[in-house]
Amino acid sequence: GGGGSPVSSGMPSAPGMMDNETLAQLRFQQVAAMYDQQKHAGIAPEVAELAEYHGLDERATRALDEEMKKRKATFDADMQALWIGLEGASNPSGLLMVKLKDMRLGQFRGMSALDNKVQEFAKKHRLDAQAAVKLGEVLDKREDPEGDMVKIGKHLERSNKPSSLMMMLLRDLREGKPVKEPEFAAAIGSAAHEKELSKTMRSRRHSRSRSGGRDRDRDRGGRDR
Protein backbone atom coordinates (compact mmCIF):
# COMPACT_ATOMS: atom_id res chain seq x y z
CA GLY A 1 0.00 0.00 0.00
CA GLY A 2 2.98 2.28 -0.50
CA GLY A 3 1.40 3.59 -3.71
CA GLY A 4 -0.26 6.43 -1.77
CA SER A 5 2.95 8.04 -0.53
CA PRO A 6 3.68 10.25 -3.60
CA VAL A 7 0.17 11.70 -3.31
CA SER A 8 0.52 12.52 0.37
CA SER A 9 4.00 13.98 -0.12
CA GLY A 10 2.66 16.15 -2.97
CA MET A 11 -0.21 17.51 -0.87
CA PRO A 12 1.55 20.14 1.30
CA SER A 13 2.94 22.00 -1.75
CA ALA A 14 -0.54 22.62 -3.22
CA PRO A 15 -1.80 24.96 -0.43
CA GLY A 16 1.57 26.76 -0.55
CA MET A 17 1.08 27.47 -4.26
CA MET A 18 -2.45 28.66 -3.60
CA ASP A 19 -1.20 31.00 -0.88
CA ASN A 20 1.37 32.57 -3.20
CA GLU A 21 -1.33 33.11 -5.79
CA THR A 22 -3.70 34.61 -3.22
CA LEU A 23 -0.94 36.87 -1.89
CA ALA A 24 -0.15 38.05 -5.41
CA GLN A 25 -3.84 38.77 -6.02
CA LEU A 26 -4.14 40.67 -2.74
CA ARG A 27 -1.03 42.68 -3.54
CA PHE A 28 -2.46 43.52 -6.98
CA GLN A 29 -5.77 44.59 -5.42
CA GLN A 30 -3.94 46.84 -2.93
CA VAL A 31 -1.91 48.47 -5.70
CA ALA A 32 -5.08 48.93 -7.78
CA ALA A 33 -6.92 50.45 -4.81
CA MET A 34 -4.00 52.81 -4.14
CA TYR A 35 -3.97 53.82 -7.81
CA ASP A 36 -7.72 54.52 -7.66
CA GLN A 37 -7.25 56.63 -4.53
CA GLN A 38 -4.44 58.60 -6.15
CA LYS A 39 -6.42 58.93 -9.38
CA HIS A 40 -9.30 60.52 -7.44
CA ALA A 41 -7.09 62.18 -4.79
CA GLY A 42 -8.46 65.60 -3.90
CA ILE A 43 -11.40 65.13 -6.29
CA ALA A 44 -14.90 65.84 -5.00
CA PRO A 45 -16.73 62.53 -4.30
CA GLU A 46 -19.66 63.61 -6.52
CA VAL A 47 -17.24 64.17 -9.41
CA ALA A 48 -15.48 60.84 -8.74
CA GLU A 49 -18.87 59.04 -8.75
CA LEU A 50 -19.89 60.64 -12.06
CA ALA A 51 -16.49 59.78 -13.57
CA GLU A 52 -16.72 56.17 -12.39
CA TYR A 53 -20.25 55.66 -13.70
CA HIS A 54 -19.65 57.23 -17.13
CA GLY A 55 -16.12 55.82 -17.52
CA LEU A 56 -14.52 59.27 -17.89
CA ASP A 57 -10.79 59.37 -18.52
CA GLU A 58 -8.44 60.98 -15.98
CA ARG A 59 -7.96 64.20 -17.96
CA ALA A 60 -11.72 64.83 -18.22
CA THR A 61 -12.24 63.93 -14.53
CA ARG A 62 -9.55 66.38 -13.35
CA ALA A 63 -10.82 69.13 -15.70
CA LEU A 64 -14.39 68.65 -14.39
CA ASP A 65 -13.24 68.78 -10.77
CA GLU A 66 -11.27 71.99 -11.35
CA GLU A 67 -14.23 73.62 -13.10
CA MET A 68 -16.76 72.52 -10.46
CA LYS A 69 -14.59 74.01 -7.66
CA LYS A 70 -15.31 77.42 -9.26
CA ARG A 71 -19.05 76.72 -9.54
CA LYS A 72 -20.10 76.10 -5.93
CA ALA A 73 -23.29 78.16 -6.30
CA THR A 74 -24.64 75.99 -9.15
CA PHE A 75 -22.78 72.75 -8.26
CA ASP A 76 -25.85 70.52 -7.69
CA ALA A 77 -27.80 71.71 -10.75
CA ASP A 78 -24.69 71.48 -12.95
CA MET A 79 -23.91 67.95 -11.80
CA GLN A 80 -27.51 66.84 -12.37
CA ALA A 81 -27.43 68.29 -15.90
CA LEU A 82 -24.16 66.43 -16.60
CA TRP A 83 -25.53 63.12 -15.27
CA ILE A 84 -28.43 63.39 -17.72
CA GLY A 85 -26.42 64.89 -20.58
CA LEU A 86 -23.70 62.22 -20.54
CA GLU A 87 -26.13 59.28 -20.34
CA GLY A 88 -25.77 57.11 -23.42
CA ALA A 89 -23.05 59.28 -25.03
CA SER A 90 -20.71 57.27 -27.26
CA ASN A 91 -17.72 59.34 -26.08
CA PRO A 92 -18.61 60.74 -22.63
CA SER A 93 -15.14 62.21 -21.98
CA GLY A 94 -15.22 64.11 -25.29
CA LEU A 95 -18.77 65.36 -24.70
CA LEU A 96 -17.81 66.46 -21.17
CA MET A 97 -14.88 68.51 -22.52
CA VAL A 98 -17.39 70.33 -24.79
CA LYS A 99 -19.63 71.01 -21.76
CA LEU A 100 -16.65 72.31 -19.75
CA LYS A 101 -15.82 74.71 -22.59
CA ASP A 102 -19.45 75.94 -22.44
CA MET A 103 -19.02 76.48 -18.69
CA ARG A 104 -15.85 78.53 -19.21
CA LEU A 105 -17.58 80.63 -21.89
CA GLY A 106 -20.61 81.10 -19.67
CA GLN A 107 -22.85 79.24 -22.14
CA PHE A 108 -23.64 76.20 -19.99
CA ARG A 109 -27.18 76.06 -18.65
CA GLY A 110 -28.14 73.79 -15.77
CA MET A 111 -31.46 71.99 -15.81
CA SER A 112 -33.80 74.76 -16.98
CA ALA A 113 -37.52 74.36 -17.69
CA LEU A 114 -36.64 74.05 -21.39
CA ASP A 115 -34.20 71.23 -20.58
CA ASN A 116 -36.97 69.27 -18.88
CA LYS A 117 -39.24 69.73 -21.90
CA VAL A 118 -36.43 68.64 -24.23
CA GLN A 119 -35.86 65.51 -22.08
CA GLU A 120 -39.57 64.63 -22.33
CA PHE A 121 -39.49 65.30 -26.08
CA ALA A 122 -36.37 63.13 -26.46
CA LYS A 123 -38.03 60.26 -24.59
CA LYS A 124 -41.21 60.49 -26.67
CA HIS A 125 -39.31 60.47 -29.99
CA ARG A 126 -36.69 57.88 -28.95
CA LEU A 127 -33.76 60.31 -29.35
CA ASP A 128 -30.39 59.25 -27.96
CA ALA A 129 -28.76 61.39 -25.25
CA GLN A 130 -26.37 63.12 -27.62
CA ALA A 131 -29.15 64.26 -29.97
CA ALA A 132 -31.17 65.46 -26.95
CA VAL A 133 -28.26 67.51 -25.53
CA LYS A 134 -27.54 69.13 -28.90
CA LEU A 135 -31.24 69.90 -29.44
CA GLY A 136 -31.41 71.61 -26.02
CA GLU A 137 -28.36 73.74 -26.82
CA VAL A 138 -29.74 74.86 -30.19
CA LEU A 139 -33.32 75.49 -28.99
CA ASP A 140 -31.99 77.71 -26.21
CA LYS A 141 -30.94 80.24 -28.88
CA ARG A 142 -34.20 80.04 -30.88
CA GLU A 143 -37.08 82.52 -30.58
CA ASP A 144 -39.88 79.94 -30.29
CA PRO A 145 -38.32 76.70 -28.97
CA GLU A 146 -41.68 75.10 -28.14
CA GLY A 147 -43.12 75.85 -31.59
CA ASP A 148 -39.94 74.42 -33.11
CA MET A 149 -40.36 71.22 -31.06
CA VAL A 150 -43.90 70.72 -32.38
CA LYS A 151 -42.66 71.03 -35.98
CA ILE A 152 -39.56 68.88 -35.35
CA GLY A 153 -41.83 66.25 -33.80
CA LYS A 154 -43.73 65.95 -37.10
CA HIS A 155 -40.46 65.08 -38.84
CA LEU A 156 -39.28 62.67 -36.15
CA GLU A 157 -42.51 60.68 -35.95
CA ARG A 158 -42.18 59.97 -39.69
CA SER A 159 -38.62 58.66 -39.33
CA ASN A 160 -37.39 55.22 -38.28
CA LYS A 161 -33.99 56.79 -37.41
CA PRO A 162 -35.05 59.80 -35.33
CA SER A 163 -31.62 60.59 -33.79
CA SER A 164 -29.88 60.71 -37.19
CA LEU A 165 -32.66 62.89 -38.60
CA MET A 166 -32.44 65.17 -35.55
CA MET A 167 -28.73 65.76 -36.22
CA MET A 168 -29.58 66.77 -39.82
CA LEU A 169 -32.36 69.12 -38.72
CA LEU A 170 -30.02 70.77 -36.19
CA ARG A 171 -27.93 72.20 -39.04
CA ASP A 172 -30.88 74.30 -40.27
CA LEU A 173 -31.85 75.27 -36.73
CA ARG A 174 -28.32 76.50 -35.96
CA GLU A 175 -28.42 78.70 -39.06
CA GLY A 176 -31.68 80.23 -37.85
CA LYS A 177 -33.79 78.73 -40.63
CA PRO A 178 -37.45 77.87 -39.93
CA VAL A 179 -38.48 74.24 -39.55
CA LYS A 180 -40.27 73.16 -42.74
CA GLU A 181 -43.26 70.87 -42.91
CA PRO A 182 -42.28 67.23 -43.66
CA GLU A 183 -42.28 66.50 -47.39
CA PHE A 184 -41.72 62.76 -47.28
CA ALA A 185 -44.09 59.92 -46.54
CA ALA A 186 -43.63 58.22 -43.19
CA ALA A 187 -40.90 55.58 -43.16
CA ILE A 188 -41.83 51.98 -42.50
CA GLY A 189 -41.43 51.24 -38.80
CA SER A 190 -41.93 54.88 -37.75
CA ALA A 191 -44.58 56.04 -35.27
CA ALA A 192 -46.53 57.90 -37.94
CA HIS A 193 -46.37 55.09 -40.49
CA GLU A 194 -48.96 52.89 -38.72
CA LYS A 195 -51.24 55.87 -38.18
CA GLU A 196 -50.93 57.01 -41.78
CA LEU A 197 -51.47 53.52 -43.13
CA SER A 198 -54.83 53.09 -41.45
CA LYS A 199 -55.90 56.65 -42.39
CA THR A 200 -54.93 56.09 -46.06
CA MET A 201 -56.84 52.82 -46.18
CA ARG A 202 -59.94 54.51 -44.76
CA SER A 203 -59.79 57.48 -47.14
CA ARG A 204 -59.19 55.22 -50.14
CA ARG A 205 -62.28 53.17 -49.33
CA HIS A 206 -64.24 56.38 -48.77
CA SER A 207 -63.16 57.99 -52.09
CA ARG A 208 -63.78 54.78 -54.03
CA SER A 209 -67.34 54.50 -52.83
CA ARG A 210 -67.95 58.20 -53.64
CA SER A 211 -66.36 58.07 -57.10
CA GLY A 212 -68.52 55.19 -58.25
CA GLY A 213 -65.73 52.64 -58.08
CA ARG A 214 -68.17 49.90 -57.14
CA ASP A 215 -67.40 47.93 -60.34
CA ARG A 216 -63.78 47.66 -59.25
CA ASP A 217 -64.87 46.39 -55.87
CA ARG A 218 -67.00 43.72 -57.55
CA ASP A 219 -64.07 42.67 -59.76
CA ARG A 220 -61.89 42.22 -56.70
CA GLY A 221 -64.47 40.03 -55.09
CA GLY A 222 -65.37 42.52 -52.39
CA ARG A 223 -62.12 41.80 -50.54
CA ASP A 224 -61.92 45.37 -49.27
CA ARG A 225 -65.04 45.22 -47.20
Side-chain angles (χ1 to χ4, degrees):
S5 59
V7 179
S8 57
S9 68
M11 283 293 279
S13 65
M17 276 161 58
M18 288 282 285
D19 283 351
N20 287 343
E21 214 174 292
T22 310
L23 277 170
Q25 269 184 326
L26 281 171
R27 214 167 288 139
F28 173 73
Q29 282 167 0
Q30 280 172 334
V31 171
M34 273 167 65
Y35 170 72
D36 266 355
Q37 278 168 1
Q38 283 166 354
K39 195 171 73 171
H40 292 153
I43 284 177
E46 298 91 337
V47 171
E49 190 187 351
L50 179 90
E52 205 67 46
Y53 178 83
H54 289 291
L56 299 176
D57 62 33
E58 202 171 337
R59 176 170 157 259
T61 306
R62 293 240 169 250
L64 173 62
D65 188 60
E66 279 169 34
E67 195 57 40
M68 293 316 292
K69 282 186 168 77
K70 304 173 203 158
R71 298 173 68 87
K72 291 200 168 76
T74 56
F75 185 94
D76 289 339
D78 290 346
M79 290 301 287
Q80 190 189 357
L82 289 173
W83 269 100
I84 291 167
L86 295 175
E87 186 64 57
S90 55
N91 176 7
S93 297
L95 184 58
L96 176 67
M97 295 311 270
V98 173
K99 297 275 135 216
L100 292 178
K101 187 179 162 198
D102 288 347
M103 286 181 185
R104 285 192 282 272
L105 295 171
Q107 292 171 356
F108 180 79
R109 305 157 298 110
M111 284 298 289
S112 65
L114 177 61
D115 273 314
N116 290 322
K117 280 178 184 151
V118 169
Q119 289 302 324
E120 284 300 309
F121 180 83
K123 211 179 289 178
K124 181 183 171 187
H125 292 289
R126 307 191 299 278
L127 294 178
D128 61 34
Q130 211 170 353
V133 168
K134 295 256 187 294
L135 174 64
E137 287 169 359
V138 173
L139 285 179
D140 193 44
K141 299 178 178 77
R142 300 275 295 182
E143 281 176 25
D144 179 18
E146 291 188 33
D148 285 339
M149 275 196 275
V150 171
K151 290 176 193 163
I152 293 164
K154 288 182 188 174
H155 284 270
L156 297 182
E157 67 176 14
R158 304 165 87 82
S159 171
N160 51 15
K161 288 186 184 156
S163 295
S164 307
L165 177 62
M166 184 72 257
M167 291 309 205
M168 282 163 60
L169 290 171
L170 284 174
R171 277 201 296 259
D172 284 352
L173 290 171
R174 273 197 197 96
E175 289 167 17
K177 293 178 185 171
V179 183
K180 294 184 206 139
E181 287 295 317
E183 294 162 13
F184 301 103
I188 292 170
S190 67
H193 181 250
E194 299 299 315
K195 234 187 289 176
E196 217 162 82
L197 206 62
S198 56
K199 204 160 71 176
T200 310
M201 293 301 285
R202 275 203 304 277
S203 67
R204 262 191 205 152
R205 279 203 287 269
H206 187 60
S207 66
R208 256 212 312 272
S209 61
R210 285 177 60 184
S211 64
R214 283 183 291 274
D215 297 339
R216 264 199 313 254
D217 284 345
R218 266 207 305 279
D219 293 342
R220 290 170 64 164
R223 269 179 306 200
D224 281 357
R225 274 178 308 182

